[in-house]
Amino acid sequence: MSSASHVDGKAVTYDTVPPTSGDHWSGSTQCGFYSEEVRDEIAVHNLEHGNVVMSYNLPNAADVTKLKEISNGLQDSGDWLVTRLYSKLAPGEVAIAVWGIMDKFTGIDEARIKKFFDTYKGNLLSDETRGLGQGIPCTTAQRVAG
């Protein structure tokens, strides 16, 4: 796995699209549904904290509304889920990730999203969360879309 250094202000090239680990900025973002892009360097810090990051490129407004309803309806989503627009995905794709793990699919699969989220929210997959013995909820992070 790649390093997890803080490299504030520096653009990072990642091995996957969207990224699942690597160097990142020291700021993270609050959980919630974003209709704008959140920089990879910020989202990766959320991943390091045990948060789930769901990225989407849904051209159909009804699909965006449906995904927002699903995101907001997940138990504990306010503590563990960042959902963001992500133009680097192909149109119609959704990707859900945690530190080192990603599931990418076309369209909205509510059961798949729920299973992934319930399995990995608050995970201990990064060195930081393993060292703390717990995930770090994103409810107290500063909201930065960047």
Side-chain angles (χ1 to χ4, degrees), residues 14-66:
Y14 294 99
D15 294 336
T16 62
V17 176
T20 61
S21 63
D23 293 342
H24 53 274
W25 293 357
S26 59
S28 57
T29 194
Q30 286 183 338
C31 289
F33 190 93
Y34 292 81
S35 56
E36 67 272 5
E37 302 221 8
V38 174
R39 285 190 65 99
D40 285 340
E41 295 86 356
I42 294 168
V44 170
H45 199 177
N46 284 85
L47 295 172
E48 183 185 38
H49 284 179
N51 303 151
V52 177
V53 176
M54 184 160 47
S55 304
Y56 67 92
N57 186 359
L58 299 170
N60 183 317
D63 288 340
V64 174
T65 299
K66 181 178 179 182

Side-chain angles (χ1 to χ4, degrees), residues 8 41 88 92:
D8 290 339
E41 295 86 356
K88 294 177 187 174

Side-chain angles (χ1 to χ4, degrees), residues 68-79:
K68 184 175 184 177
E69 290 170 359
I70 292 167
S71 295
N72 292 340
L74 293 169
Q75 185 174 355
D76 302 322
S77 64
D79 290 328

Side-chain angles (χ1 to χ4, degrees), residues 74-138:
L74 293 169
Q75 185 174 355
D76 302 322
S77 64
D79 290 328
W80 299 110
L81 180 63
V82 174
T83 304
R84 65 179 177 155
L85 175 66
Y86 196 70
S87 62
K88 294 177 187 174
L89 288 172
E93 278 191 322
V94 174
I96 189 165
V98 293
W99 191 262
I101 300 170
M102 176 176 31
D103 187 14
K104 189 187 298 187
F105 44 93
T106 300
I108 299 171
D109 186 331
E110 184 172 357
R112 196 168 175 174
I113 291 167
K114 183 177 182 344
K115 183 177 181 181
F116 190 99
F117 179 75
D118 288 343
T119 299
Y120 291 110
K121 64 183 175 185
N123 68 76
L124 303 180
L125 296 171
S126 73
D127 288 342
E128 183 172 357
T129 55
R130 279 194 304 273
L132 292 171
Q134 65 183 28
I136 303 167
C138 55

